[in-house]
Amino acid sequence: MLGSEPELITHHAHNGTEPDDPPTVPIIRPRPGRPPRRPRPLTAQDLRRRRWKRVRRIAYVAAGLFFFVPGIAFAITYFAVDVPSPETIAQAQGQAVTYLFSDGTEMGKDVPTGGNRQILAPNQIPDVVKKAVIATEDASFETNSGFDVGGILRAAYNQVTGGSGGGSTISQQYIKNASGDDDPTLTRKWVELAKSFKMNQTYEKADIITAYLNIIYFGRGAYGIQAAAQAYFGKDAGQLDYSQAALLAGLIQQPGRSENTAVATSRWTTALDRMLKNGYLTPAQRAAAKFPTPIPLRESKQAGALNPFLKKQVKAELAAQGIDEKQYYSGGFQVFTTIDPQAQQSAEQAVAEGMADQTDDRILNALVAVDPKTGGVLAYYGGDAIVKGPNGEDLAGRDWADEAHNPGSSMKPFDLAAFLKLGRGLDARFDGTSPRTFPGVDLPIRNAGDSSSCSTECTVSEAMQRSTNTVFYDMVLNVTKPSGVAEAAREAGIRTKDNGGRSELFTGDNNISIGGGGTQVTPADMASAYATFAAGGVQRDRHFVQKVTNANGETAYEAKLRSVDAFADNDTQKSAQIAGNVTAALAPVIPFSRLSCPNGHECAGKTGTQQHTPQNDEPASAANANSQTWMVGYTPSVSAAVWVGSDGDKALRGPGGAPLFGSTLAGPIWDRFMQLYLTGRPGERFDRVAAISSPQDRVQVQQPPPQQQQRDQRDSVRFGDGNRQQDDQLDRIREFQQRLQELQDQQRGRRRP
């Protein structure tokens, strides 16, 4: 319109008729002197080029993901994993522990759960064995870096298509077996590859194949080439020929079918063919090969099953010395035990003969023998290792030699030791009649029978021979006190629960005096404690192990023998005198109990019986039955404890329903053991010591009543019984006692003013 103002450019922005930003389409300005240029339309070739460019970029990314990233991850894993040396891994595998008798002969092997591995050095395994395994298991072993890419691809293909066959190299199999990890996961396989590669960068091939052969399973319970050579051919690995090596190499893939002749033959054939293909055999050798028939399976079993109770004791002893369960199976140890093969055989034979006629299947037994001169266990029998369960099934037996039982009268030597420590002697007198009542004791104390009773002034010596309960009950109650008996027993070698043992010495009442109530002792402890008497008062720790050597023959442990004066600190003579007086009192017990001692030897010992406590539902005859019986005795060279009893308080019966006593079953077993073990060995006598006596013991000996004299005469005739060996033994005992009396009289004479 005429006369109107010019329109402002901002008006369009405010009224929304113009955009705020300049146009985005580029303005193509022609170059000076040239016509305007228009964009060229894209051709099909351009489009293809663009597509391939995108494909290449994706391929680069994929290559990075599948190669570069895994490479970085593999490198990280390589440096992160720890590959111990083949020697370390081999040693860490469970190896059998060889047990030896005291004379060095083999007792048996303790094979770990994984089997028996015996570690060999590279030069102990023949090349033919190594080549057989390489050809059969991993033909590229000498050149691969721990894994075979082609083998991995074949394994992957087989898994996809349902075929069989893996791609593991010997190095991979070694890592898998050494670690015990067979988890079918990608993580486990990845770590296995890294470890295998790192092992091959770190160690020589000879070391790797040797380590592999030392741990791989061949069947028949044999882990490692040495155990396999023994199990299949009864020879060492170094003696294997190429045909035998081929069979063992072939069985690695199917060890569980080793007894299938067709499978074994097929695997042997495969191994030989691969050895020929790899140039390890000549065509003539392949043609001449004959199948090496293995020895029968029953003959390949290890000779001499190891006593499980003995093994338990040895392992406990070694654990206390720092060789725990982990170390026990890792050192290729040889354990030199203290067990004498003749003593062990004698113990087992004596028990078998003694139990042959018994009809009560509740009767149990144990026998332990100890060397008084060293404390070493000579024989250890804890009962049957395998027993029948209620349904006829096989169950593990209990070690009755290490179970505590009421010792009965076999406890009385410790009463006497405590009495002698106070300066009292064998000529002290007590009332030996029966029954007797004591202040504060609810029930009367009784002797076991007429033969166990004596006069009102019964000497301690006679009371021990007759096993007079009333005398020893009186002695402990009024003189030594229960604590004194417990102290003497511990000093002799009884190991109580508060001192690492299993026995219990209860001092809350006076029942310890006759081995009843809460007092319970193991047969092993009894054998050790009586050994202290045999050793002249020197207490030596009971032990099963002399020394232990490792796979290199080096001493890993050696027992340190500790000796102490049991009954008098730092006073050898006094301790010996106490022990000698105990021996003088125990010597007559042997013939009195109708037992004997091997010709030329002096013996001493004590029987023991624990009476059964009848229950309301039992017949009246149960009151006359016994539940535990003992015989513990010794010579200067062996102390043996025999226990025959029940699991708990049961009324045991012998043939014909007769009750059992220490002198009727445990005693004869002890007697038989001593005869078997000592016959033919040089005779031994106990050391003579001075008698212990005090002024209050010097009372004129009263003559026993005529009836008692007649009974003594009958006993003397009966125990002599025309047996020359028993007569000789009685003569020695009389000589011993006479000498003891002479020494006692001399001491009295010197003390008279």
Side-chain angles (χ1 to χ4, degrees), residues 556-726:
Y557 164 72
E558 188 164 13
K560 295 179 176 60
L561 303 183
R562 185 187 69 91
S563 302
V564 297
D565 299 320
F567 307 115
D569 292 340
N570 301 318
D571 192 336
T572 303
Q573 184 176 359
K574 182 177 180 181
S575 187
Q577 187 181 21
I578 292 171
N581 276 254
V582 172
T583 296
L586 296 180
V589 174
I590 302 299
F592 189 86
S593 301
R594 304 183 189 184
L595 303 174
S596 61
C597 196
N599 190 32
H601 295 268
E602 289 184 345
C603 296
K606 187 72 187 74
T607 57
T609 303
Q610 179 64 27
Q611 189 172 11
H612 166 64
T613 302
Q615 303 299 312
N616 293 331
D617 58 348
E618 291 183 308
S621 60
N624 297 321
N626 298 312
S627 60
Q628 317 292 334
T629 66
W630 294 79
M631 174 57 200
V632 191
Y634 55 92
T635 71
S637 60
V638 58
S639 171
V642 176
W643 169 81
V644 178
S646 62
D647 181 8
D649 187 2
K650 295 182 175 63
L652 299 180
R653 298 289 181 182
L660 297 183
F661 292 93
S663 60
T664 60
L665 187 52
I669 291 175
W670 177 89
D671 190 313
R672 182 60 174 153
F673 167 75
M674 288 294 197
Q675 297 292 340
L676 289 169
Y677 180 55
L678 292 177
T679 297
R681 293 174 180 261
E684 294 178 293
R685 302 180 66 189
F686 295 116
D687 293 335
R688 271 41 177 176
V689 298
I692 297 175
S693 184
S694 72
Q696 64 190 110
D697 297 334
R698 298 173 197 148
V699 180
Q700 180 65 35
V701 178
Q702 296 182 0
Q703 291 295 327
Q707 183 179 1
Q708 179 69 40
Q709 289 181 340
Q710 293 173 5
R711 184 164 62 244
D712 291 345
Q713 291 173 357
R714 289 197 305 270
D715 289 341
S716 177
V717 172
R718 180 168 63 251
F719 297 139
D721 200 27
N723 187 309
R724 181 60 187 168
Q725 181 175 326
Q726 289 184 335

Side-chain angles (χ1 to χ4, degrees), residues 448-468:
D450 290 342
S451 63
S452 295
S453 296
C454 53
S455 70
T456 56
E457 292 195 9
C458 181
T459 64
V460 171
S461 179
E462 184 180 359
M464 183 65 78
Q465 176 178 313
R466 294 182 176 280
S467 196
T468 308

Side-chain angles (χ1 to χ4, degrees), residues 517-536:
T519 293
Q520 297 184 325
V521 184
T522 68
D525 275 353
M526 274 298 191
S528 295
Y530 275 53
T532 299
F533 299 136

